[in-house]
Amino acid sequence: MITLENKHLIVKINPEGAELTSVWHKNAELEYIWTADPKYWGRHASNLFPIVGRLRGDQFRVAGETYYMNQHGFARNMSFDVVEQSENKAVFRIVDSESTHRVYPFKFQLDISYELTEDDTLHIAYIVHNPDKEETLFFSVGGHPAFNLPLDGGKFSDYYLSIEPEKIYDRVRLVGPYSNPNHPTPFNASIPLRLRQEDYHDDAIILKLNRQKTSFLLARLANQHGLRMTLDNAQFIGVWTPAGKQAPFIALEPWWGLADTVDATGNFKEKFGSNVLAAGDTFNGTYSLQFF
């Protein structure tokens, strides 16, 4: 387990999946990150690569070959190398191999960086490099951090999400596990989103962000403790808690990609929302979490 620390916070990251497992507020004796109770959801903050969500039939095609991959990809189940570490920063890395080529026929290097600053902000970066000298890399990437609710008293429904900028966003609906981005519905962010378990019977609330800087304040009206997630350039965010379980957490998921559409052809190079990276190029997807 890798530990980052400042005056107020202790952050722990597991090299298995490069998964954020704990953010502990020393003075308040408060844990922000979901405990991964398997009764509800047995992970803390998965990292998603090289897909986000589900593929139709859990399969895709490249150059006439069919490949099979489970929901959210393989990175969350891989052991990452720690390539940089200090008191307030750690960088984790995986690269392609014979094993990954059996399910994903592309060369890649994925770095996930965590940096804790003195203002109690954890900066997270997904850095994808295409080491191939000729071939283009197609991928999606994202996070799945989940946060304990309630944090410091009250109940789940006492909490809300306040979104900036306040405007009308396109909400992408799901049909089963698949997305339907061509028929969005309006989501009015001028009104804070009250968190209610019953709003997730149709899975996540997904908002299209168009890579514009957007922040999400998670708090309750008493507002003593909470967090602010700021997405610098994400395509989408998913807000999720498992339906029907009364789970004591909410996940705020920054995505650079999306589940297969209801009419997806299976051609991976045509996949909606994928990132396209030329030979030798590097992608940076960044967000931050400020805890209070």
Side-chain angles (χ1 to χ4, degrees):
M1 197 70 70
I2 302 300
T3 300
L4 311 179
E5 188 169 355
N6 68 9
K7 183 178 179 180
H8 299 122
L9 300 176
I10 299 173
V11 174
K12 294 185 178 181
I13 305 135
N14 190 343
E16 295 298 318
E19 184 176 20
L20 176 65
T21 61
S22 175
V23 175
W24 175 257
H25 195 295
K26 291 184 276 188
N27 294 339
E29 297 187 341
L30 178 67
E31 176 60 65
Y32 291 91
I33 302 299
W34 166 239
T35 57
D37 183 345
K39 176 181 177 182
Y40 302 103
W41 183 60
R43 298 179 186 264
H44 302 274
S46 300
N47 291 305
L48 319 178
F49 178 88
I51 60 171
V52 168
R54 286 280 297 276
L55 298 167
R56 290 191 69 191
D58 294 323
Q59 60 184 280
F60 65 92
R61 296 188 315 278
V62 175
E65 296 289 330
T66 298
Y67 299 85
Y68 297 88
M69 191 181 301
N70 291 331
Q71 183 180 27
H72 293 324
F74 51 73
R76 61 183 180 166
N77 297 318
M78 290 186 68
S79 180
F80 282 66
D81 292 326
V82 181
V83 296
E84 181 180 342
Q85 184 180 357
S86 66
E87 184 179 13
N88 58 16
K89 185 177 181 180
V91 180
F92 302 81
R93 176 176 296 170
I94 55 171
V95 298
D96 64 283
S97 64
E98 288 185 10
S99 176
T100 66
H101 291 166
R102 286 194 285 269
V103 296
Y104 180 65
F106 297 97
K107 295 180 180 180
F108 70 87
Q109 176 182 293
L110 169 63
D111 287 2
I112 303 177
S113 171
Y114 296 89
E115 184 172 9
L116 180 63
T117 53
E118 289 304 312
D119 62 350
D120 296 337
T121 299
L122 184 64
H123 298 269
I124 298 124
Y126 296 105
I127 305 160
V128 182
H129 177 66
N130 181 4
D132 202 293
K133 296 181 179 180
E134 297 180 358
E135 297 295 326
T136 300
L137 173 61
F138 297 82
F139 70 94
S140 299
V141 70
H144 200 307
F147 306 98
N148 289 319
L149 281 190
L151 274 172
D152 61 340
K155 56 186 183 295
F156 185 97
S157 59
D158 290 334
Y159 287 78
Y160 65 91
L161 273 180
S162 181
I163 305 173
E164 294 180 355
E166 297 178 357
K167 66 176 187 177
I168 305 296
Y169 291 84
D170 282 345
R171 177 178 176 181
V172 178
R173 296 284 182 171
L174 293 173
V175 180
Y178 307 120
S179 63
N180 194 15
N182 292 327
H183 297 89
T185 57
F187 181 93
N188 185 0
S190 65
I191 305 168
L193 175 65
R194 178 71 64 183
L195 297 182
R196 304 183 304 172
Q197 296 277 357
E198 58 267 29
D199 289 339
Y200 301 90
H201 289 306
D202 295 326
D203 213 313
I205 296 173
I206 301 170
L207 303 183
K208 187 176 181 181
L209 305 181
N210 295 312
R211 301 186 188 270
Q212 296 181 350
K213 188 172 185 177
T214 312
S215 70
F216 298 80
L217 174 68
L218 174 63
R220 64 189 179 109
L221 292 178
N223 209 31
Q224 184 175 358
H225 290 287
L227 63 95
R228 182 184 297 274
M229 172 183 279
T230 300
L231 310 182
D232 297 312
N233 56 1
Q235 292 172 277
F236 304 92
I237 187 169
V239 182
W240 175 78
T241 193
K245 292 187 176 183
Q246 299 297 305
F249 74 85
I250 193 74
L252 306 179
E253 308 176 35
W255 295 339
W256 292 261
L258 196 62
D260 262 2
T261 59
V262 292
D263 57 355
T265 66
N267 183 339
F268 199 70
K269 295 183 179 182
E270 297 176 350
K271 179 174 169 55
F272 181 87
S274 281
N275 302 278
V276 180
L277 197 58
D281 282 357
T282 301
F283 162 97
N284 282 272
T286 59
Y287 76 100
S288 65
L289 295 167
Q290 185 173 35
F291 301 93
F292 59 88

